mmCIF file of all heavy atoms in Angstrom:
data_model
loop_
_atom_site.group_PDB
_atom_site.id
_atom_site.type_symbol
_atom_site.label_atom_id
_atom_site.label_comp_id
_atom_site.label_asym_id
_atom_site.label_seq_id
_atom_site.Cartn_x
_atom_site.Cartn_y
_atom_site.Cartn_z
ATOM 1 N N ASP A 270 -0.444 -17.393 23.533
ATOM 2 C CA ASP A 270 0.190 -18.000 24.706
ATOM 3 C C ASP A 270 0.788 -16.928 25.627
ATOM 4 O O ASP A 270 0.655 -17.013 26.850
ATOM 5 C CB ASP A 270 1.275 -18.992 24.290
ATOM 6 C CG ASP A 270 0.707 -20.219 23.577
ATOM 7 O OD1 ASP A 270 -0.516 -20.455 23.660
ATOM 8 O OD2 ASP A 270 1.490 -20.930 22.915
ATOM 9 N N ALA A 271 1.437 -15.942 25.036
ATOM 10 C CA ALA A 271 2.028 -14.865 25.839
ATOM 11 C C ALA A 271 0.946 -14.077 26.571
ATOM 12 O O ALA A 271 1.117 -13.707 27.738
ATOM 13 C CB ALA A 271 2.859 -13.940 24.949
ATOM 14 N N LEU A 272 -0.181 -13.832 25.910
ATOM 15 C CA LEU A 272 -1.277 -13.107 26.552
ATOM 16 C C LEU A 272 -1.966 -13.955 27.611
ATOM 17 O O LEU A 272 -2.516 -13.419 28.576
ATOM 18 C CB LEU A 272 -2.272 -12.607 25.504
ATOM 19 C CG LEU A 272 -1.749 -11.487 24.613
ATOM 20 C CD1 LEU A 272 -2.703 -11.212 23.462
ATOM 21 C CD2 LEU A 272 -1.481 -10.219 25.425
ATOM 22 N N ASP A 273 -1.921 -15.276 27.463
ATOM 23 C CA ASP A 273 -2.429 -16.155 28.525
ATOM 24 C C ASP A 273 -1.548 -16.044 29.772
ATOM 25 O O ASP A 273 -2.052 -16.104 30.892
ATOM 26 C CB ASP A 273 -2.471 -17.615 28.059
ATOM 27 C CG ASP A 273 -3.613 -17.901 27.100
ATOM 28 O OD1 ASP A 273 -4.552 -17.072 27.012
ATOM 29 O OD2 ASP A 273 -3.556 -18.953 26.436
ATOM 30 N N ARG A 274 -0.255 -15.899 29.558
ATOM 31 C CA ARG A 274 0.681 -15.784 30.687
ATOM 32 C C ARG A 274 0.537 -14.437 31.391
ATOM 33 O O ARG A 274 0.587 -14.349 32.605
ATOM 34 C CB ARG A 274 2.119 -15.978 30.223
ATOM 35 C CG ARG A 274 2.460 -17.419 29.858
ATOM 36 C CD ARG A 274 3.943 -17.614 29.603
ATOM 37 N NE ARG A 274 4.464 -16.844 28.491
ATOM 38 C CZ ARG A 274 4.400 -17.214 27.212
ATOM 39 N NH1 ARG A 274 3.816 -18.357 26.871
ATOM 40 N NH2 ARG A 274 4.913 -16.464 26.268
ATOM 41 N N LEU A 275 0.365 -13.370 30.602
ATOM 42 C CA LEU A 275 0.262 -12.020 31.152
ATOM 43 C C LEU A 275 -0.583 -11.196 30.175
ATOM 44 O O LEU A 275 -0.204 -11.023 29.017
ATOM 45 C CB LEU A 275 1.663 -11.413 31.298
ATOM 46 C CG LEU A 275 1.790 -10.114 32.075
ATOM 47 C CD1 LEU A 275 1.440 -10.320 33.550
ATOM 48 C CD2 LEU A 275 3.208 -9.561 31.962
ATOM 49 N N SER A 276 -1.741 -10.726 30.640
ATOM 50 C CA SER A 276 -2.655 -10.001 29.757
ATOM 51 C C SER A 276 -2.018 -8.719 29.234
ATOM 52 O O SER A 276 -1.041 -8.211 29.805
ATOM 53 C CB SER A 276 -3.951 -9.667 30.486
ATOM 54 O OG SER A 276 -3.741 -8.589 31.390
ATOM 55 N N PHE A 277 -2.597 -8.167 28.190
ATOM 56 C CA PHE A 277 -2.075 -6.922 27.640
ATOM 57 C C PHE A 277 -2.264 -5.791 28.638
ATOM 58 O O PHE A 277 -1.393 -4.924 28.778
ATOM 59 C CB PHE A 277 -2.743 -6.614 26.294
ATOM 60 C CG PHE A 277 -1.956 -5.638 25.458
ATOM 61 C CD1 PHE A 277 -0.616 -5.844 25.181
ATOM 62 C CD2 PHE A 277 -2.561 -4.508 24.949
ATOM 63 C CE1 PHE A 277 0.115 -4.935 24.409
ATOM 64 C CE2 PHE A 277 -1.843 -3.600 24.177
ATOM 65 C CZ PHE A 277 -0.510 -3.813 23.917
ATOM 66 N N ALA A 278 -3.378 -5.813 29.374
ATOM 67 C CA ALA A 278 -3.604 -4.795 30.410
ATOM 68 C C ALA A 278 -2.492 -4.845 31.456
ATOM 69 O O ALA A 278 -1.983 -3.798 31.897
ATOM 70 C CB ALA A 278 -4.969 -4.991 31.069
ATOM 71 N N GLU A 279 -2.111 -6.050 31.866
ATOM 72 C CA GLU A 279 -1.018 -6.195 32.835
ATOM 73 C C GLU A 279 0.300 -5.716 32.244
ATOM 74 O O GLU A 279 1.126 -5.113 32.946
ATOM 75 C CB GLU A 279 -0.900 -7.652 33.280
ATOM 76 C CG GLU A 279 -2.096 -8.125 34.097
ATOM 77 C CD GLU A 279 -2.143 -9.630 34.269
ATOM 78 O OE1 GLU A 279 -1.859 -10.368 33.287
ATOM 79 O OE2 GLU A 279 -2.478 -10.072 35.382
ATOM 80 N N ARG A 280 0.503 -5.959 30.975
ATOM 81 C CA ARG A 280 1.729 -5.511 30.314
ATOM 82 C C ARG A 280 1.770 -3.986 30.236
ATOM 83 O O ARG A 280 2.830 -3.371 30.400
ATOM 84 C CB ARG A 280 1.847 -6.134 28.926
ATOM 85 C CG ARG A 280 2.093 -7.635 28.978
ATOM 86 C CD ARG A 280 1.904 -8.304 27.613
ATOM 87 N NE ARG A 280 1.918 -9.736 27.748
ATOM 88 C CZ ARG A 280 3.021 -10.492 27.777
ATOM 89 N NH1 ARG A 280 4.211 -9.930 27.659
ATOM 90 N NH2 ARG A 280 2.934 -11.795 27.922
ATOM 91 N N ILE A 281 0.625 -3.371 29.981
ATOM 92 C CA ILE A 281 0.554 -1.906 29.950
ATOM 93 C C ILE A 281 0.860 -1.349 31.330
ATOM 94 O O ILE A 281 1.645 -0.404 31.480
ATOM 95 C CB ILE A 281 -0.828 -1.438 29.447
ATOM 96 C CG1 ILE A 281 -0.994 -1.805 27.968
ATOM 97 C CG2 ILE A 281 -1.015 0.059 29.664
ATOM 98 C CD1 ILE A 281 -2.410 -1.642 27.438
#
Side-chain angles (χ1 to χ4, degrees):
D270 293 344
L272 290 171
D273 285 344
R274 288 189 298 277
L275 190 66
S276 75
F277 199 52
E279 293 167 319
R280 291 167 190 276
I281 292 169

